Amino acid sequence: MNTPDPQFPDTQVVLAVDIDLTAPGYYTARQVSEDLRDQARYAAGGCEVVIRLGRAALDALPLEFGRLVAGEFYLTADRITITVPGGTRAAAVITMSVARHLKLAREDHARMVAQRRASTG
């Protein structure tokens, strides 16, 4: 049986899904939301998600952005990184909103699974 050589550890391969919302043409929250959904469509389980927000997307950012991100990735993403242009005042608020909504979505999902298991017994 082959044993791995400790001099050459296994290389970790991670899928990173890059959501690019840096285009200059965002004028409405709907455009940002639709583009997020379109780009997130085929995210695989266990992936890392990188969401890049440009100035236009930040100006048009929907109020429910944290909920939208959580809804797209709460089951698939192991990590979510949000990048914003330097000098963005709302960066911490955006990050906290995404984290809060992810926590709520995962708790709700766990509760739903537990209820289903209890009812099917």
Side-chain angles (χ1 to χ4, degrees):
M1 181 165 196
N2 289 338
T3 57
D5 187 342
Q7 290 180 327
F8 304 103
D10 289 337
T11 302
Q12 184 180 9
V13 178
V14 178
L15 172 65
V17 177
D18 186 29
I19 307 294
D20 185 5
L21 302 175
T22 60
Y26 294 112
Y27 299 106
T28 66
R30 182 181 202 136
Q31 289 174 316
V32 175
S33 300
E34 288 174 354
D35 207 8
L36 173 71
R37 281 191 198 100
D38 287 344
Q39 292 185 45
R41 183 166 292 148
Y42 300 108
C47 68
E48 176 179 341
V49 177
V50 179
I51 301 173
R52 294 186 294 135
L53 296 171
R55 295 253 181 239
L58 285 167
D59 291 341
L61 205 64
L63 292 175
E64 70 276 0
F65 184 74
R67 187 177 57 78
L68 289 171
V69 171
E72 293 294 338
F73 299 112
Y74 77 98
L75 289 177
T76 56
D78 284 347
R79 178 181 175 157
I80 297 175
T81 302
I82 300 171
T83 64
V84 296
T88 303
R89 289 184 177 189
V93 174
I94 293 167
T95 304
M96 287 187 309
S97 174
V98 170
R100 183 172 65 86
H101 286 286
L102 272 170
K103 182 178 183 240
L104 292 172
R106 287 182 172 157
E107 287 172 352
D108 186 48
H109 180 72
R111 187 173 38 257
M112 195 170 52
V113 168
Q115 287 174 348
R116 179 163 296 250
R117 284 186 184 150
S119 69
T120 58

